Amino acid sequence: MNKNTWDDMLLEVRDLKTQIKTDHGIVRAVEGVSFTLRAGQTLGIVGESGCGKSITALSIMGLLPGGNARIAGGEILYRRADGKMIDLAVLAPGGAEMRAIRGNEIAMVFQEPMSSLNPVYTIGDQIMESVLLHQKVDRVEARKRAITMLDLVGIPASNQRVDEYPHQLSGGMRQRVMIAMALSCNPRLLVADEPTTALDVTVQAQILALIKDLQSEFNMALILITHDLGVVREVADTVSVMYFGNVVEQADVARIFKNPTHPYTQRLLKAIPRIGSHEKLQQIDGSVPSAYAARLGCEFAARCLETREICQTELPEMKPVEAAHYVRCWQREGATGTTDK
Ligand SMILES: Nc1ncnc2c1ncn2[C@@H]1O[C@H](COP(=O)(O)OP(=O)(O)OP(=O)(O)O)[C@@H](O)[C@H]1O
Ligand SMILES: [Mg+2]
């Protein structure tokens, strides 16, 4: 049950800005993302390719790519198990506190399982490594735990498979191993970045059901990043719709589907295929602007069918359209054209 008190607030991201320096200039990958997450709840983050979903996740984890990405502003407030509130945005990514949190209190399932599983170690060794790092157990106990985790994620013959290498497993199995690794320390928050995109539909459904089961068993909060609004509808409690580095709409899942308000969300929903429907699917014409482009006005204006003059020149703020439902759009009720904060 959602008590809606400040006490069960687990994570609050405020106006996060993350930039990546490249040879061609600075990519403003995340330009002001805010959301909150309560203990045990699921937040779905949706948006098309390149809008900053993975970089948001990696910012939370202190795992930004290379030495050229940095958090340029905002806060990532996380309540630790002992109740202490800390700002992950200012913790040293390689420092002791972040290492105690990452992989232990907060774990991540990465978008590319092969790039995060090491091909030269068995999957058992890789799960054991995480257990040994964070828990006071010996190797025998850690191996038992690795086998239990493989059982839990539905890998058959776990006591043999534990000694196999990643290339000996199918894509679905590798994804399960990633989940087993992430859950081996019983995290309070799991960040799952497109955990099922590379899989066929039946395996996808199994993995999502598995994540949901494990979530209720361990009372774990979940940030689920996906392109797939159908998945969000099944799994999430609240939804953040991202467009080009910003959250443009945020609400609980029922409101997003019943009353989608931002023009981008409305068109995303019209692009979901429905069984039995003969309606033509609507594509969203145009593409996300260049990441290097100077920012002026609403990022969606170039693709929006309802733009006004102000949309080209000023970025709207997130404003409420109904209780617990926020939208960043000049056209919508509440977005009055002023920046009165
Ligand atoms: N290592 C990197 N170096 C330079 N730019 C990067 C790097 N990683 C991401 N970016 C850029 O940052 C922006 C946000 O990327 P991000 O990976 O967060 O998108 P995404 O929403 O996760 O997309 P997808 O759905 O394709 O996974 C994009 O413009 C991307 O090109
Ligand atoms: Mg991504």
Side-chain angles (χ1 to χ4, degrees):
M1 257 299 151
N2 181 6
K3 295 194 301 294
N4 270 356
T5 63
W6 174 245
D7 289 347
D8 64 357
M9 186 63 69
L10 186 67
L11 186 74
E12 178 168 7
V13 175
R14 288 188 191 156
D15 203 23
L16 176 69
K17 294 186 186 352
T18 304
Q19 302 179 349
I20 306 169
K21 210 162 149 191
T22 72
D23 292 345
H24 308 286
I26 289 185
V27 176
R28 297 183 200 291
V30 176
E31 249 311 78
V33 163
S34 303
F35 57 78
T36 55
L37 184 63
R38 294 174 189 282
Q41 279 212 318
T42 298
L43 166 73
I45 300 184
V46 287
E48 67 203 290
S49 195
C51 70
K53 303 182 297 295
S54 294
I55 296 295
T56 299
L58 295 171
S59 303
I60 295 169
M61 302 302 295
L63 289 175
L64 286 169
N68 43 9
R70 67 177 188 110
I71 294 178
E75 293 166 304
I76 304 172
L77 303 175
Y78 167 66
R79 187 188 294 275
R80 292 203 63 180
D82 61 7
K84 190 176 124 196
M85 205 72 170
I86 49 164
D87 182 1
L88 301 179
V90 297
L91 277 193
E97 190 160 21
M98 194 69 212
R99 280 187 288 123
I101 293 170
R102 185 172 53 228
N104 191 26
E105 294 184 32
I106 308 180
M108 181 160 173
V109 175
F110 294 88
Q111 195 164 359
E112 308 284 341
M114 261 330 250
S115 62
S116 32
L117 286 173
N118 191 328
V120 302
Y121 292 104
T122 65
I123 55 170
D125 279 341
Q126 295 183 60
I127 301 175
M128 283 168 64
E129 189 188 333
S130 154
V131 173
L132 288 166
L133 186 67
H134 294 294
Q135 293 179 7
K136 291 189 181 68
V137 292
D138 61 16
R139 288 191 67 80
V140 176
E141 200 45 49
R143 186 180 161 85
K144 274 196 208 148
R145 177 122 182 106
I147 294 172
T148 308
M149 291 313 296
L150 293 177
D151 280 336
L152 201 64
V153 297
I155 298 217
S158 53
N159 52 352
Q160 290 157 32
R161 290 239 125 132
V162 70
D163 295 318
E164 290 187 351
Y165 292 86
H167 74 267
Q168 294 174 281
L169 306 175
S170 68
M173 293 264 179
R174 284 198 286 263
Q175 202 61 279
R176 284 168 192 255
V177 170
M178 286 289 305
I179 294 171
M181 258 168 87
L183 297 184
S184 60
C185 293
N186 198 358
R188 304 170 70 225
L189 168 61
L190 177 68
V191 180
D193 190 357
E194 305 274 7
T196 60
T197 306
L199 307 174
D200 69 53
V201 201
T202 29
V203 182
Q204 207 178 76
Q206 285 169 9
I207 299 262
L208 285 173
L210 168 74
I211 291 179
K212 280 305 279 181
D213 282 354
L214 297 173
Q215 184 183 18
S216 55
E217 192 172 330
F218 296 110
N219 189 33
M220 177 181 76
L222 173 67
I223 295 179
L224 180 71
I225 296 175
T226 177
H227 287 92
D228 189 336
L229 275 165
V231 167
V232 163
R233 194 207 290 257
E234 290 293 311
V235 177
D237 298 303
T238 54
V239 182
S240 291
V241 180
M242 280 188 71
Y243 188 78
F244 201 51
N246 273 311
V247 174
V248 295
E249 182 156 6
Q250 184 142 19
D252 64 51
V253 71
R255 285 194 178 95
I256 287 277
F257 282 90
K258 189 162 170 250
N259 185 22
T261 301
H262 194 281
Y264 177 60
T265 316
Q266 291 176 343
R267 284 163 74 187
L268 271 184
L269 284 173
K270 287 197 174 129
I272 308 181
R274 264 178 252 282
I275 294 173
S277 162
H278 297 290
E279 254 180 72
K280 193 165 178 274
L281 288 182
Q282 291 190 12
Q283 67 176 41
I284 306 179
D285 289 331
S287 55
V288 179
S290 157
Y292 303 106
R295 306 267 173 119
L296 200 61
C298 169
E299 317 290 3
F300 191 60
R303 299 168 81 186
C304 187
L305 304 174
E306 308 171 43
T307 53
R308 291 193 276 144
E309 207 173 312
I310 192 165
C311 306
Q312 312 289 346
T313 53
E314 267 186 70
L315 180 68
E317 291 188 16
M318 288 293 268
K319 294 277 170 96
V321 281
E322 56 183 323
H325 184 173
Y326 295 85
V327 174
R328 190 188 289 281
C329 178
W330 288 122
Q331 289 289 60
R332 301 301 185 244
E333 199 185 334
T336 54
T338 56
T339 46
D340 52 338
K341 214 182 174 185

